Amino acid sequence: MTTSTQKETRGYTDIGGHRTWYADSGGGGEPVLVLHGGISDSEMILKPLEPALGERFRILAFDRRGHGRTADTDAPFHYDDMATETIAAIEKLIADPAHLLGWSDGGNVALLVALRRPDLVRSLVLIGSNYRFDGNLPTQPGGSAPKMLRDRYAERSPDGVEHFDRLLEKSRAMWAVEPTLTTDDLRRISAPALVMVGDDDLMTLAHTASLYESLPLGQLAVVPGTSHAVVLEKPELVGRLIGDFLSAPGKPETHMPKRRRSARS
């Protein structure tokens, strides 16, 4: 079923041959495609960010295969397949270049889209993202996902809560060996990019710094007093930083440029 107001639409459409849940705020602003994190859903990131961005931009999102309100298949998860799915979503829902705003896995996917289809990408917002699987801090083996994520899955998934453990298993298998980008790959990305993390995030600060410094038009925001859930912990600050960036991506005006000096000369 599809529901809509005068501007907003939320419902299902076919993306890449798969019945996929999506949201579209409508309006005439520049399109921002929101890409949710792993074992998560679009509404989890839309709710905290739409108040800051909805008046100026057309906000869109879709639940990737096996996430949120979109059913899973038997296939394993791979970031490259998620990038293919995202490219199909841009072509189906927008048909024009879009700003890609990705949280966690969503940011990893956004990097791959920018490399494969730069013509579809206006800018990148990468929140809590890593370009290599070994860029994250060590974690305890095993363990369970946060109860909040399991509960959200139970409320939304057409596969039922019993499928959540399979979703987690497939995600962990991917996270153990992907992504595998290099700093040389990142240097090929021409889109302006905002790299944002919590100061107590999942990845090392050194990895985040190398992501920022390798992107030719990168900007960096380390949000104090936050974790990988930075979007939920300080939504107003995060929304303001993203809104400022999207209003003039790649055009920071500073008094004493160092890293950006060569770009200005």
Side-chain angles (χ1 to χ4, degrees):
M1 178 180 295
T2 298
T3 61
S4 64
T5 62
Q6 184 176 1
K7 295 171 58 177
E8 183 183 44
T9 300
R10 295 193 178 204
Y12 286 88
T13 190
D14 182 286
I15 293 179
H18 194 70
R19 187 173 186 262
T20 301
W21 185 89
Y22 78 102
D24 184 350
S25 69
E30 292 182 353
V32 177
L33 181 63
V34 173
L35 303 173
H36 63 77
I39 60 172
S40 180
D41 60 88
S42 297
E43 290 171 311
M44 188 172 180
I45 188 171
L46 285 173
K47 184 176 180 180
L49 293 184
E50 276 186 315
L53 305 176
E55 291 298 320
R56 287 179 285 172
F57 302 97
R58 176 188 171 196
I59 310 298
L60 303 100
F62 73 100
D63 286 345
R64 292 190 299 275
R65 174 175 60 85
H67 292 75
R69 302 179 190 276
T70 300
D72 201 2
T73 68
D74 293 333
F77 288 158
H78 293 292
Y79 285 122
D80 195 58
D81 293 337
M82 295 178 181
T84 298
E85 188 178 15
T86 301
I87 290 169
I90 297 172
E91 293 176 334
K92 176 69 175 286
L93 301 176
I94 306 171
D96 281 307
H99 302 284
L100 303 187
L101 193 169
W103 183 11
S104 193
D105 274 4
N108 302 355
V109 172
L111 287 170
L112 291 174
V113 174
L115 284 166
R116 286 172 51 182
R117 291 293 305 272
D119 57 304
L120 295 179
V121 180
R122 293 173 182 256
S123 73
L124 300 169
V125 177
L126 311 169
I127 307 172
S129 302
N130 58 300
Y131 64 92
R132 282 192 57 84
F133 66 91
D134 53 4
N136 290 344
L137 292 163
T139 57
Q140 294 181 347
S144 58
K147 183 177 182 299
M148 173 186 64
L149 295 178
R150 183 181 291 270
D151 289 345
R152 292 182 66 89
Y153 186 84
E155 293 170 359
R156 291 167 174 78
S157 176
D159 297 318
V161 67
E162 62 275 5
H163 190 74
F164 183 83
D165 290 337
R166 177 59 179 151
L167 170 73
L168 186 58
E169 177 186 358
K170 293 202 298 184
S171 297
R172 283 176 171 162
M174 178 179 69
W175 296 335
V177 295
E178 299 180 23
T180 57
L181 296 177
T182 67
T183 53
D184 285 341
D185 292 326
L186 299 177
R187 293 187 185 100
R188 292 167 41 213
I189 295 176
S190 58
L194 172 63
V195 176
M196 181 183 296
V197 293
D199 62 355
D200 188 20
D201 217 312
L202 294 180
M203 59 290 307
T204 68
L205 289 175
H207 185 80
T208 295
S210 67
L211 171 60
Y212 153 63
E213 291 183 327
S214 299
L215 292 165
L217 295 178
Q219 298 181 36
L220 176 64
V222 180
V223 183
T226 62
S227 70
H228 194 57
V230 56
V231 175
L232 306 180
E233 293 160 348
K234 295 194 176 180
E236 292 182 1
L237 175 57
V238 169
R240 185 165 69 250
L241 290 170
I242 294 173
D244 288 348
F245 169 77
L246 292 179
S247 295
K251 299 178 182 179
E253 294 294 334
T254 60
H255 291 290
M256 301 174 65
K258 292 294 184 182
R259 291 178 178 83
R260 298 186 182 95
R261 178 179 294 172
S262 59
R264 291 187 173 200
S265 59

